């Protein structure tokens, strides 16, 4: 299905807003696919949110005007990243019957997703786990995970999709 604006639909049990999905360049396809399954089963649209950490929201909103943190830094990468993500998401959702859109967000991902979820009246937020690597472990130790920040900072359900589950063996 093609990209379409998200719309609200009233369903029993409080699931009446879109499903907000945090995405980033190089996003593992299982996150997009699982979020699409959840949204389709509830008859809800998907809103993918890409938080660009190199900009900050000027007016306090996530999708509104943004300014670069370092004006002399990287030039023009965010629009390219958004367009590339649109193409990747469209490819993953080609055979799925779900409405979706992608919104650029500004700032730290957990805060940006929480603000956007509030603005949209999202039913839930979906994020993926990090790959198992030394770099990912160091990021978790220093900054914490987006999922952890989300479920401590807002009252919506947070669905965390394992992208590379590590199956413990008998020695773990």
């Amino acid at each position: 299905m093609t990209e379409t604006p998200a719309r609200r639909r009233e369903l029993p049990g409080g699931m009446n807003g879109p499903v907000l999905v945090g995405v980033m360049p190089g996003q593992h396809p299982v996150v997009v696919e699982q979020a699409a399954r959840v949204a389709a089963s509830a008859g809800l649209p998907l809103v993918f949110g890409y938080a660009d950490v190199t900009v900050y929201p000027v007016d306090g909103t996530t999708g509104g005007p943004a300014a670069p943190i370092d004006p002399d830094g990287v030039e023009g990468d965010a629009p390219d990243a958004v367009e590339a993500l649109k193409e990747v998401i469209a490819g993953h959702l080609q055979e799925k019957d779900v409405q979706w859109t992608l919104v650029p967000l500004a700032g730290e991902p957990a805060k940006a997703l929480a603000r956007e979820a509030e603005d949209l009246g999202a039913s839930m937020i979906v994020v993926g786990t990090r790959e198992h690597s030394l770099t990912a472990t160091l990021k978790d130790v220093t900054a914490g995970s987006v999922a952890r920040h989300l479920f401590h900072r807002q009252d919506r359900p947070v669905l965390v999709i394992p992208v590379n589950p590590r199956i413990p063996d008998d020695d773990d």
Side-chain angles (χ1 to χ4, degrees):
M1 185 160 249
T2 60
E3 178 186 7
T4 57
R7 61 183 161 85
R8 287 185 150 213
R9 195 171 155 184
E10 297 298 321
L11 294 175
M15 294 281 290
N16 57 5
V19 174
L20 177 61
V21 186
V23 292
M24 61 186 179
Q27 181 68 61
H28 199 287
V30 72
V31 176
V32 173
E33 292 162 2
Q34 290 294 338
R37 281 194 192 108
V38 169
S41 69
L44 297 171
L46 284 167
V47 175
F48 293 95
Y50 165 57
D52 184 352
V53 297
T54 66
V55 297
Y56 66 94
V58 173
D59 62 357
T61 64
T62 54
I69 291 172
D70 179 6
D72 298 326
V74 180
E75 295 179 26
D77 282 351
D80 294 339
V82 171
E83 289 306 312
L85 275 170
K86 277 185 184 178
E87 289 178 24
V88 169
I89 292 167
H92 293 311
L93 297 179
Q94 198 169 22
E95 302 297 318
K96 310 276 191 245
D97 186 27
V98 65
Q99 293 179 336
W100 67 276
T101 189
L102 173 66
V103 295
L105 307 174
E108 191 271 322
K111 289 179 183 178
L113 287 167
R115 284 190 308 261
E116 186 67 13
E118 183 65 28
D119 291 348
L120 289 173
S123 294
M124 72 171 55
I125 301 171
V126 178
V127 294
T129 59
R130 290 193 176 121
E131 297 281 345
H132 295 293
S133 69
L134 179 59
T135 304
T137 302
L138 290 173
K139 283 183 181 178
D140 265 353
V141 169
T142 57
S145 74
V146 171
R148 185 176 299 122
H149 286 286
L150 281 169
F151 60 72
H152 285 296
R153 292 184 180 162
Q154 47 82 50
D155 59 358
R156 279 179 180 70
V158 177
L159 176 59
V160 182
I161 308 295
V163 299
N164 186 13
R166 182 176 168 272
I167 310 297
D169 57 21
D170 291 339
D171 295 335
D172 284 345

